[in-house]
Amino acid sequence: MINRFNKYRYASPATFYHFAGRLIPWFYGAAALFCVAGLYIGLFLAPTDFQQSEAYRIIFIHVPAAWMSMFIYVVMACWAALGLAFNTRMSFMMASALAPTGAMLTFVSLWTGALWGKPTWGAWWVWDARLTSELILFFLYLGFMALQSAIDDPRRADRAGALIALVGVVNVPIIYFSVRWWNTLHQGASVSMTKAPSMASIMLVGMLVMALAAWMYTIAAALSRARCIILERERNAQWVAQMLEADA
Amino acid sequence: MSTSQTVIVLLRRELLLAMRRRGDVLTVLFFFVIVASLFPLGVGPDPKLLRLMGGGVVWVSALLAAMLSLGRMFASDHADGTLEQLVLTPTPPVVWITGKILAHWLVSGVPLILVAPVLGVQFGLSGEALGVLVFSLLLGTPVLSLIGAIGAALTLGLRGGGVLVSLLVLPLYIPVLIFGAGAVDGAMSGLGAEAHLSLLGGILILAFMLTPWAVSAALRISIE
């Protein structure tokens, strides 16, 4: 039984490379499907909000991006912890592969938030607790990527990045609550993020479908990037040479 | 040597080195004073505005000054091989790392605390707020040294380490800044500073327990 099922099978970059290659089209396909369905629900089926009129429709991009940006950081930290604990190269590669997508989605959520804020709040940016902590999350992603790109030795880059990701994930709740308290103590809430008391269920469905689309896209993008990282790291390995010959 | 002896020997060595290179300590101190003095020039001399900003400005300056001094924490010891010798000693790394962080705080944190009241007076802080400012710095600057040590250890010997360390460490400094500046604000507005100071103390205890382990792991990654 143990011989037939090896749980470390996909920890080998060569096996993972082909496995990921087979999965990627499925995840991109699912992402496209969910995206089309979600946008249809969001743009055509969902009713116009009586307070915010059409401007609210940006939540179908904004909220899934914000959810995923936070979720990806935690997943990244989990891969980092796995890598440090078991010393598996693939875990570190997955952590580095997730970071750019996470940073991109953080940026998207900040950008769409600004686009929504201008017509609704009358300001591109307010120092609201959620906006501020999302901005800090963006800085954490940038720090992780900057540290990894500054180190030439891949082994050290992997482990240093993993450590800073873990330090970051311990700090995220502290930062979040400190920013929240700072906001409530400094200034009365000049703008409230709370929307209409009960969100129409069709809006919620649209948001959830779009969140699934973002999730599938993230997996596909991270796997594609992990494949690139594998090729870059293993360029001197025999299996890469054989594969390139077979392709050529 | 027992662990306490190791820490004492290490502290003496670090303080002696700092005495011999007084310039380094003074540079950080003057940086702190200059940054704080730039704010009134930037935003105008209105005493009411300055009184409102004072606590925050002193705290931001302290953050930047602490960050500036991080490069020194391990770099020279790394360059001349002392760090590797320390790693080879039988003393647990967490012990001598705590000693080094303590020394760093004594050399670059304590002078800031001593100068801060003067800056506070320049910004027109009240007597009570000055006391709170000093106390909040007393609780907060060790955290800056502790968290900063992780960044310093990770960027050891990297090109552009100074800028990189700021990108890594400054987001992690944010809670200290919020509660430190918040304490001064609370004292100024009469809301009381206890809540902020308690949280700052909590952060200090948490950082003191956890960061030496992270620094030890970071040094192992950087040295091997």
Side-chain angles (χ1 to χ4, degrees), chain A residues 33-45 60-61 206 209-210:
Chain A
L33 218 65
F34 281 126
C35 190
V36 169
L39 286 180
Y40 181 73
I41 297 173
L43 298 182
F44 295 102
L45 296 186
F60 295 112
I61 302 287
V209 173
M210 283 306 285

Side-chain angles (χ1 to χ4, degrees), chain A residues 129-205:
Chain A
R130 289 196 232 188
L131 271 73
T132 313
S133 37
E134 189 75 6
L135 184 67
I136 296 167
L137 184 68
F138 186 56
F139 294 153
L140 289 177
Y141 276 119
L142 290 187
F144 175 85
M145 292 193 289
L147 179 65
Q148 287 212 317
S149 66
I151 305 176
D152 293 326
D153 171 25
R155 190 175 145 77
R156 183 179 165 190
D158 279 347
R159 303 170 73 82
L163 191 78
I164 202 71
L166 284 181
V167 171
V169 90
V170 170
N171 267 281
V172 160
I174 301 177
I175 292 174
Y176 179 74
F177 280 106
S178 64
V179 169
R180 230 172 83 172
W181 291 330
W182 159 74
N183 186 261
T184 48
L185 289 174
H186 257 253
Q187 55 189 52
S190 49
V191 274
S192 163
M193 283 280 278
T194 42
K195 303 195 184 65
S198 63
M199 185 187 272
S201 62
I202 187 78
M203 293 184 194
L204 188 67
V205 170

Side-chain angles (χ1 to χ4, degrees), chain A residues 95-148:
Chain A
S96 352
L98 279 164
T101 306
M104 187 271 284
L105 286 173
T106 317
F107 185 77
V108 165
S109 84
L110 287 170
W111 187 263
T112 52
L115 289 181
W116 177 81
K118 188 61 185 167
T120 318
W121 292 341
W124 295 108
W125 181 266
V126 288
W127 290 94
D128 173 85
R130 289 196 232 188
L131 271 73
T132 313
S133 37
E134 189 75 6
L135 184 67
I136 296 167
L137 184 68
F138 186 56
F139 294 153
L140 289 177
Y141 276 119
L142 290 187
F144 175 85
M145 292 193 289
L147 179 65
Q148 287 212 317

Side-chain angles (χ1 to χ4, degrees), chain B residues 37-51 53 123:
Chain B
S37 317
L38 285 179
F39 277 88
L41 297 175
V43 301
D46 176 21
K48 230 162 61 193
L49 180 66
L50 290 182
R51 200 171 303 132
M53 287 177 34
F123 281 90

Side-chain angles (χ1 to χ4, degrees), chain A residues 29-130:
Chain A
L33 218 65
F34 281 126
C35 190
V36 169
L39 286 180
Y40 181 73
I41 297 173
L43 298 182
F44 295 102
L45 296 186
T48 305
D49 190 86
F50 78 100
Q51 274 179 327
Q52 305 175 14
S53 68
E54 303 293 343
Y56 90 93
R57 289 187 197 274
I58 204 151
I59 60 162
F60 295 112
I61 302 287
H62 175 72
V63 174
W67 279 345
M68 283 312 292
S69 66
M70 292 180 264
F71 180 60
I72 291 174
Y73 197 86
V74 176
V75 175
M76 200 176 89
C78 288
W79 280 118
L82 270 180
L84 284 178
F86 297 109
N87 216 357
T88 41
R89 284 179 299 161
M90 248 351 279
S91 313
F92 294 123
M93 292 187 212
M94 279 306 288
S96 352
L98 279 164
T101 306
M104 187 271 284
L105 286 173
T106 317
F107 185 77
V108 165
S109 84
L110 287 170
W111 187 263
T112 52
L115 289 181
W116 177 81
K118 188 61 185 167
T120 318
W121 292 341
W124 295 108
W125 181 266
V126 288
W127 290 94
D128 173 85
R130 289 196 232 188

Side-chain angles (χ1 to χ4, degrees), chain B residues 10-21:
Chain B
L10 203 76
L11 271 180
R12 273 190 57 185
R13 171 181 175 272
E14 297 283 326
L15 294 180
L16 197 65
L17 278 173
M19 279 298 287
R20 298 271 160 81
R21 283 188 233 138

Side-chain angles (χ1 to χ4, degrees), chain B residues 25-38:
Chain B
V25 180
L26 290 177
T27 314
V28 172
L29 196 60
F30 285 127
F31 177 81
F32 176 57
V33 174
I34 288 173
V35 170
S37 317
L38 285 179

